[in-house]
């Protein structure tokens, strides 16, 4: 394709076109929320641009969209002084406090009552400041202590929602834009799922994930995280007058300049309007794809900001954060019910008089365990405090004892399984109570639900209702029976048609190919979760080896504790379980673990040597990590070695690597490498 190499002039023109098209695509996507360019076309343009920039390095500028993939890592963040301090906000927790805020302000400037307010969402991310010179992004920083932040420019450049160049022509020569970097709930969940698959630690919530993604030394990591940005403030240093007459106008200008602005903001005429808007947002809060911890109410007219001043040099009076009340409500505990899970554990839960908490009707809440009920002295009929945080199952915090009437009933811990009446057992070192009967209908039901679940054998089209039908009709007595079901048999069941029956038979058929780790997990062996199942399957590779492993070998598997090893041993000793495995094998299930390759192969073609004691990974785990991502591990350092991964007490290999000029990595650097590229 020599003939198609463009001349320098042509290349320069094309580079402009491509950059324009790519930035327009980002703008349409992040600001206008109306994409017109397909992902494939975006990728094509991107690759063309990168190819031209490689051919003509002088055309590769800092603000090219190709730079969004992340520059080389740096060794530390530099401190930067903000042009004007990044202040924080005072809080209001209810309408009264909001009105008191207006009263205080009105004593300073009576006009606030008529100046209007802008109500914005307070997204729970991290505040950043973006410095633009002549419309180009030159620096990005964290808030830090408000006066001094950290320079994270290369990282912020990778966030596609942040414009590298502003659009339009009325752009001040020096300009600071402030806003919030955050992660959507969906982006957060998908990222965590990927991390589970890659055996990497997960993040606790979108806020931590966003902060952790931005404050890394390697921008290539930031580039892979699903980060977003909304701007809400303009600072023009040295300019006496405000950047626009009103906050509403500021947001409009930001949007015109190509900065994404949260579309949920609204200008209201007065505080009543603000309260109405707050109520609306409270209702839609559960449907938002990002987490907010409140709203920000801002005086719309910017001329008043100066006049109102700042409290204690820290909190400006012009705005206040309306924080949502903790998601707690009071309601009646109607009864305490019990579930028996697949392990036999009896799980108590609360049936509540339905109550609305943060826009959601709550009827059920978890009670953790029986000890907890006793400790809190919960009685049936009590008024109780119920908390609902985010998407987690609501929890009963405790009783409101001064509302007791005397008719409340103390709860008695059952002595028999509520489903099969077998006397329960209580292992000494556990708070849980168990039904020991492995044939208990409740245990079998949940065991089957678990076996077919997505993380186990992943048999689609077999929900709880079907599981119950299969057990009730006796078509399924153990897991192996599933594999002999026919479409004709399924058609006999209520709710099945020709299509759904055929689909289920096919998904059962397909599940035969699941690897050993999924099967081990699906069997529901006590203490064997997804992680332990993976560790075991990677170690033993085949069901035969797994079953033959004694206690010593099992507890020698790194990451598998004594308790788990004993449970696994006990499971495979049990004749009933051995027969189940025989039947599953006869049904044609795959019973081994492939050496899995990760989706991405960032280490492909690279040779590693490992030496010394690494801080968290043992030799086998480090080897696995490298091999799964395409790398090769060799025993000795040579000229063909790309990296030496060195831990504590590294000896001669480290010396040799230094002599040969082989790059040396620490364990965290290796992990970063796997995550990046
Ligand atoms: S205004 C004078 N508006 O909340 C302070 N802040 O304490 C100017 N935040 O970490 C902030 N959304 O990053 C403002 N629409 C919004 C906001 C917002 C989130 C964050 C901000 C800071 C904290 C304020």
């Amino acid at each position: 394709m020599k003939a198609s190499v463009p001349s320098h002039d042509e290349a320069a023109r094309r580079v402009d076109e491509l950059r324009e098209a790519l930035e327009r695509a980002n703008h349409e996507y992040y600001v206008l929320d109306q994409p017109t360019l397909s992902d494939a076309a975006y990728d094509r343009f991107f690759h063309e641009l990168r190819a031209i920039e490689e051919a003509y390095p002088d055309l590769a500028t800092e603000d090219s969209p190709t730079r969004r993939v992340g520059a080389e890592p740096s060794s530390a963040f530099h401190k930067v002084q903000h042009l004007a301090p990044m202040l924080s906000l005072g809080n209001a927790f209810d309408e009264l406090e909001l009105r008191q805020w207006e009263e205080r302000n009105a004593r300073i400037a009576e006009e606030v009552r008529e100046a209007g307010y802008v109500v914005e969402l307070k997204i729970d991310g991290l505040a950043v400041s973006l410095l633009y010179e002549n419309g180009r992004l030159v620096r990005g920083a964290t808030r830090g202590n408000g006066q001094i932040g950290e320079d994270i420019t290369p990282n912020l450049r990778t966030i596609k929602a942040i414009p590298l160049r502003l659009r339009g022509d009325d752009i001040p020569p020096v300009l600071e834009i402030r806003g919030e970097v955050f992660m959507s709930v969906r982006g957060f969940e998908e990222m965590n799922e990927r991390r589970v698959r890659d055996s990497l630690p997960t993040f606790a919530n979108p806020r931590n994930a966003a902060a952790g993604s931005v404050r890394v030394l390697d921008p290539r990591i930031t580039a892979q995280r699903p980060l977003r940005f909304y701007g809400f403030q303009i600072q023009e240093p040295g300019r006496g007058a405000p950047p626009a007459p009103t906050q509403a106008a500021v947001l409009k200008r930001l949007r015109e300049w190509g900065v994404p602005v949260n579309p949920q903001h609204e200008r209201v005429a007065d505080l009543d309007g603000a309260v109405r808007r707050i109520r609306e947002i409270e209702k839609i809060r559960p449907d938002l794809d990002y987490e907010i911890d409140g709203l920000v109410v801002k005086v719309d007219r910017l001329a008043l900001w100066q006049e109102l001043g700042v409290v204690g040099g820290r909190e400006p009076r012009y705005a206040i954060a309306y924080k949502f009340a903790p998601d707690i409500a009071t309601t009646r505990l109607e009864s305490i019910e019990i579930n028996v899970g697949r392990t036999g554990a009896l799980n108590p839960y609360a049936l509540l008089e339905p109550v609305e908490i943060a826009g959601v009707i709550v009827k059920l809440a978890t009670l953790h365990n029986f000890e907890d009920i006793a400790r809190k002295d919960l009685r049936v009929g009590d008024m109780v405090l119920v908390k609902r945080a985010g998407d987690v199952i609501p929890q009963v915090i405790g009783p409101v004892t001064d509302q007791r009437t005397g008719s409340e009933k103390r709860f008695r811990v059952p002595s028999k399984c509520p489903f099969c009446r077998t006397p329960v057992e209580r292992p000494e070192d556990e708070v849980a109570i168990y039904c020991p009967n492995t044939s208990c209908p409740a245990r079998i039901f949940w065991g089957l639900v678990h076996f077919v679940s997505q993380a186990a054998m992943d048999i689609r089209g077999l929900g709880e209702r079907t599981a119950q039908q299969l057990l009730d009709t006796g078509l399924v007595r153990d897991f192996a029976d599933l594999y002999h079901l026919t479409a004709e048999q399924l058609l006999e069941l209520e709710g099945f048609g020709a299509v759904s029956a055929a689909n289920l038979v096919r998904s059962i058929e397909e599940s035969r190919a699941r690897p050993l780790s999924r099967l081990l997990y699906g069997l529901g062996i006590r203490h064997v979760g997804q992680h332990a199942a993976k560790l075991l399957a990677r170690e033993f590779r085949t069901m035969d080896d797994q079953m033959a492993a004694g206690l010593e070998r099992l507890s020698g598997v790194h990451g598998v504790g004594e308790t788990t090893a004993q449970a696994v041993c006990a499971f495979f000793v049990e004749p009933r379980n051995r027969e189940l495995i025989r039947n599953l094998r006869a049904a044609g299930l795959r019973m081994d673990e492939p050496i899995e390759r990760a989706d991405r192969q960032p280490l492909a073609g690279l040779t590693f040597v490992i030496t010394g004691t690494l801080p968290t990974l043992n030799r086998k785990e480090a080897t696995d990590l490298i091999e799964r991502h395409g790398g090769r591990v060799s025993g000795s350092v040579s000229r063909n070695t790309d990296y030496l991964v060195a831990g504590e007490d590294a000896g001669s290999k480290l010396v040799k690597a230094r002599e040969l000029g082989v790059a040396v990595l620490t364990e965290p650097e290796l992990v970063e490498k796997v995550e990046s590229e």
Side-chain angles (χ1 to χ4, degrees), residues 236-531:
E236 268 182 84
R239 186 184 147 122
T246 62
Q247 172 66 5
V250 164
L251 297 175
K252 186 156 168 282
R253 278 190 97 181
L254 282 172
R255 206 178 126 95
E256 285 161 3
W257 287 342
V259 178
V261 167
N262 188 321
Q264 294 289 355
H265 73 269
E266 188 174 308
R267 186 191 185 278
V268 294
D270 52 23
L271 210 60
D272 286 342
V275 170
R276 178 193 47 74
R277 180 62 183 157
I278 289 171
R279 301 293 167 243
E280 274 172 23
I281 297 293
E282 275 173 338
K283 286 217 183 64
I284 65 162
R285 185 180 174 198
D287 306 320
L288 295 172
D289 188 34
Y290 41 79
E291 292 193 342
I292 59 175
D293 57 346
L295 295 119
V296 186
V297 183
K298 299 178 181 174
V299 173
D300 190 31
R301 202 185 302 157
L302 266 47
L304 289 171
W305 290 18
Q306 190 77 27
E307 208 172 317
L308 287 168
V310 175
V311 191
R314 231 172 51 85
E315 293 171 4
R317 289 195 183 81
Y318 71 78
I320 192 156
Y322 181 93
K323 291 280 188 72
F324 292 128
D327 303 331
I328 292 181
T330 313
T331 189
R332 192 171 305 283
L333 174 61
E334 289 188 332
S335 68
I336 293 177
E337 306 286 324
I338 294 168
N339 239 327
V340 175
R342 65 185 164 86
T343 59
L346 272 62
N347 302 311
Y349 64 95
L351 270 190
L352 305 166
E353 196 169 289
V355 62
E356 182 179 323
I357 311 180
V360 172
I361 304 287
V362 173
K363 294 179 215 156
L364 297 176
T366 165
L367 289 168
H368 304 292
N369 55 55
F370 296 108
E371 224 166 62
D372 211 41
I373 298 174
R375 194 170 44 77
K376 291 174 177 164
D377 186 22
L378 285 175
R379 303 180 193 177
V380 173
D382 265 340
M383 290 304 286
V384 290
L385 288 171
V386 181
K387 181 180 159 85
R388 177 183 160 266
D391 281 342
V392 302
I393 305 168
Q395 303 180 35
V396 175
I397 300 174
V400 185
T401 46
D402 56 11
Q403 289 195 26
R404 277 191 179 147
T405 62
S407 64
E408 296 79 13
K409 293 202 179 59
R410 279 178 207 273
F411 176 73
R412 292 246 318 267
V413 178
S415 56
K416 288 183 182 147
C417 169
F419 293 90
C420 69
R421 317 305 306 165
T422 306
V424 297
E425 286 176 3
R426 173 173 223 149
E428 243 171 57
D429 48 353
E430 286 187 52
V431 284
I433 295 173
Y434 289 90
C435 166
N437 174 15
T438 49
S439 312
C440 168
R443 292 188 59 170
I444 291 182
F445 169 72
W446 289 113
L448 182 59
V449 170
H450 172 75
F451 184 80
V452 305
S453 68
Q454 205 181 352
M457 299 302 274
D458 192 16
I459 301 181
R460 308 246 164 114
L462 208 169
E464 290 178 18
R465 191 178 118 101
T466 307
Q468 195 63 66
Q469 288 173 312
L470 292 172
L471 293 170
D472 288 349
T473 51
L475 283 173
V476 170
R477 286 171 210 277
D478 69 20
F479 303 146
D481 291 339
L482 284 173
Y483 294 92
H484 305 293
L485 284 173
T486 62
E488 290 70 39
Q489 286 172 322
L490 292 174
L491 273 170
E492 299 283 306
L493 303 178
E494 205 187 307
F496 271 95
V499 176
S500 50
N503 282 347
L504 180 50
V505 170
R506 185 157 36 84
S507 19
I508 293 174
E509 165 70 34
E510 283 167 5
S511 79
R512 289 190 165 103
R514 305 278 176 255
L516 177 63
S517 51
R518 301 277 213 105
L519 176 58
L520 284 176
Y521 174 61
L523 288 173
I525 306 168
R526 255 173 92 188
H527 304 295
V528 178
Q530 272 173 278
H531 183 63

Side-chain angles (χ1 to χ4, degrees), residues 85-91 119-128 143 178-181 207 230-233 247 251 262 293-296 298 305 314-316 318-319 321 323:
M86 288 179 81
L87 303 173
S88 50
L89 292 175
N91 292 322
V119 182
E120 297 172 19
L121 304 196
K122 190 167 178 304
I123 297 189
D124 212 3
L126 88 160
V128 297
R143 178 173 181 279
R178 293 176 179 173
E180 201 81 357
V181 168
R207 208 210 84 81
Y230 280 137
F232 49 71
Q233 203 179 9
Q247 172 66 5
L251 297 175
N262 188 321
D293 57 346
L295 295 119
V296 186
K298 299 178 181 174
W305 290 18
R314 231 172 51 85
E315 293 171 4
Y318 71 78
K323 291 280 188 72

Side-chain angles (χ1 to χ4, degrees), residues 67 69-78 151-155 158 213-224 643 664-666 668-677:
R67 300 304 293 262
V69 293
E72 285 293 305
S74 58
S75 55
F77 297 118
H78 293 289
D151 186 339
I152 48 167
T153 316
N155 303 14
T158 69
S213 300
V214 166
R215 293 193 70 263
V216 289
L217 291 170
D218 188 344
R220 291 171 297 194
I221 292 177
T222 316
Q224 281 164 19
Y643 294 100
V664 179
L665 294 179
T666 61
E669 285 167 340
L670 171 67
V671 173
E672 278 206 13
K673 256 192 129 34
V674 168
E675 284 189 52
S676 69
E677 287 168 35

